[in-house]
Amino acid sequence: MTRPITGIAVVLILLGVVTMAGPTFGFATIAADRGVNVATADDSSAYLGLEDQSASASIDSPGEQTVVYTVTDNVRDDSATVDASIVGITDDSNDPVTSAALSVNVQPGSDAETFDIVLACEDGASIDGSYRVLLRFVASSDASSVDATRETTALVPVDCTAEPVVVSVDEDGDVTSGGDVTVDNNVNVGGDIESGGSVTVDNNVNVGGDIESGGSVTIANNANVGGNIVAQGDITIRNNAVSGDLIAGGNVDIRNNAKIDGDVMACGTVTVRNNAVVTGTISENQTDLPGVQC
């Protein structure tokens, strides 16, 4: 029995037509980009339905998820699968956002033959705003395939920011947070700092390991970072501070008497002020750097 799909946002793809000479088919499984597989229901129609649900979608905290598309399987072929993946994310100014900030998953829908395309925050993501998400659906069987790309028609409100962490007493191990991290004056961190947001290391702080930040990093006066710093945003090293390699998705500002015992690489500019020292090479205005998105 054929189930009609109504609504302006529904896209019906007749697979036999899209693949030209190939036979029509439905799909028996849906695989998300994390490898989740779920079985679909039998139906006799030759259509793959994609219904945009973004107008009612939102993520209000890192632990939440939201449905942005409903997929309807109207034909069954035991050899067929559909993969869902994120192609890109843009904000309300149409600027690109790292696609690693969100994950896509597939869950059973409210009806037997439907499945929900679900977005969630990735671990450590710190985006907060409204976004359009470009999704790719690839359906294939032993004999045919179809590739459909759809962007959410509405901006989806997303808040993946976690509560900020303030380190006010010495910490022997690592500090990990999905949000911002601040290390107070004269406090020591023996291990690494990993933050989905920005990292601020205040005056006279010692960090024994690396710093990895989803935002900007500021190292205050006389602070010492024993390892390297990787930041998606800007890196600022203030007076007399010491660090290893610096890799920034934004700009780097190395201020008076600071010492960088390694290389400095930035997607933006690198400024080295009075008496600051960089023992390695300086590479600015880069387009491809490890660990950051230029």
Side-chain angles (χ1 to χ4, degrees):
M1 176 180 177
T2 301
R3 292 177 57 91
I5 305 172
T6 60
I8 296 175
V10 178
V11 180
L12 295 179
I13 304 172
L14 181 57
L15 300 184
V17 172
V18 173
T19 57
M20 302 303 289
T24 62
F25 67 99
F27 47 94
T29 61
I30 296 181
D33 63 351
R34 288 183 171 179
V36 177
N37 293 297
V38 289
T40 67
D42 288 321
D43 204 308
S44 59
S45 175
Y47 293 98
L48 168 65
L50 302 176
E51 183 177 1
D52 192 312
Q53 306 281 5
S54 60
S56 59
S58 67
I59 297 175
D60 297 324
S61 66
E64 292 188 7
Q65 58 186 21
T66 191
V67 177
V68 289
Y69 265 90
T70 297
V71 178
T72 302
D73 172 27
N74 293 324
V75 178
R76 184 179 180 86
D77 181 332
D78 289 341
S79 70
T81 62
V82 166
D83 295 332
S85 60
I86 295 175
V87 177
I89 304 171
T90 54
D91 62 17
D92 52 7
S93 298
N94 206 35
D95 292 327
V97 176
T98 174
S99 59
L102 297 174
S103 63
V104 62
N105 207 339
V106 179
Q107 298 179 2
S110 56
D111 296 325
E113 69 276 11
T114 63
F115 294 85
D116 293 333
I117 307 302
V118 177
L119 292 182
C121 298
E122 276 286 16
D123 292 341
S126 61
I127 61 172
D128 183 10
S130 295
Y131 306 93
R132 283 189 172 88
V133 182
L134 184 63
L135 295 162
R136 184 184 182 192
F137 306 91
V138 180
S140 60
S141 73
D142 291 341
S144 305
S145 66
V146 62
D147 193 322
T149 303
R150 298 290 182 269
E151 186 176 55
T152 56
T153 56
L155 288 163
V156 179
V158 174
D159 184 358
C160 293
T161 57
E163 290 296 320
V165 170
V166 177
V167 183
S168 56
V169 296
D170 289 351
E171 171 60 58
D172 293 335
D174 299 334
V175 175
T176 303
S177 172
D180 297 340
V181 173
T182 299
V183 184
D184 282 345
N185 297 332
N186 306 305
V187 172
N188 297 320
V189 175
D192 300 332
I193 297 176
E194 183 176 348
S195 167
S198 297
V199 174
T200 301
V201 175
D202 284 338
N203 302 328
N204 306 308
V205 168
N206 288 307
V207 177
D210 299 328
I211 295 177
E212 183 175 345
S213 169
S216 61
V217 172
T218 300
I219 308 299
N221 301 333
N222 304 305
N224 179 68
V225 178
N228 304 321
I229 299 175
V230 178
Q232 297 297 329
D234 297 338
I235 297 177
T236 301
I237 309 294
R238 292 183 176 165
N239 304 336
N240 304 304
V242 178
S243 174
D245 292 343
L246 306 181
I247 303 176
N251 302 317
V252 174
D253 186 3
I254 304 169
R255 300 187 179 177
N256 304 336
N257 302 305
K259 180 181 179 181
I260 306 304
D261 191 12
D263 300 329
V264 177
M265 295 167 278
C267 301
T269 61
V270 176
T271 302
V272 181
R273 302 181 188 269
N274 299 336
N275 301 312
V277 175
V278 176
T279 63
T281 60
I282 296 176
S283 304
E284 58 183 347
N285 300 317
Q286 300 298 295
T287 58
D288 186 14
L289 291 176
V292 299
Q293 183 174 17
C294 291

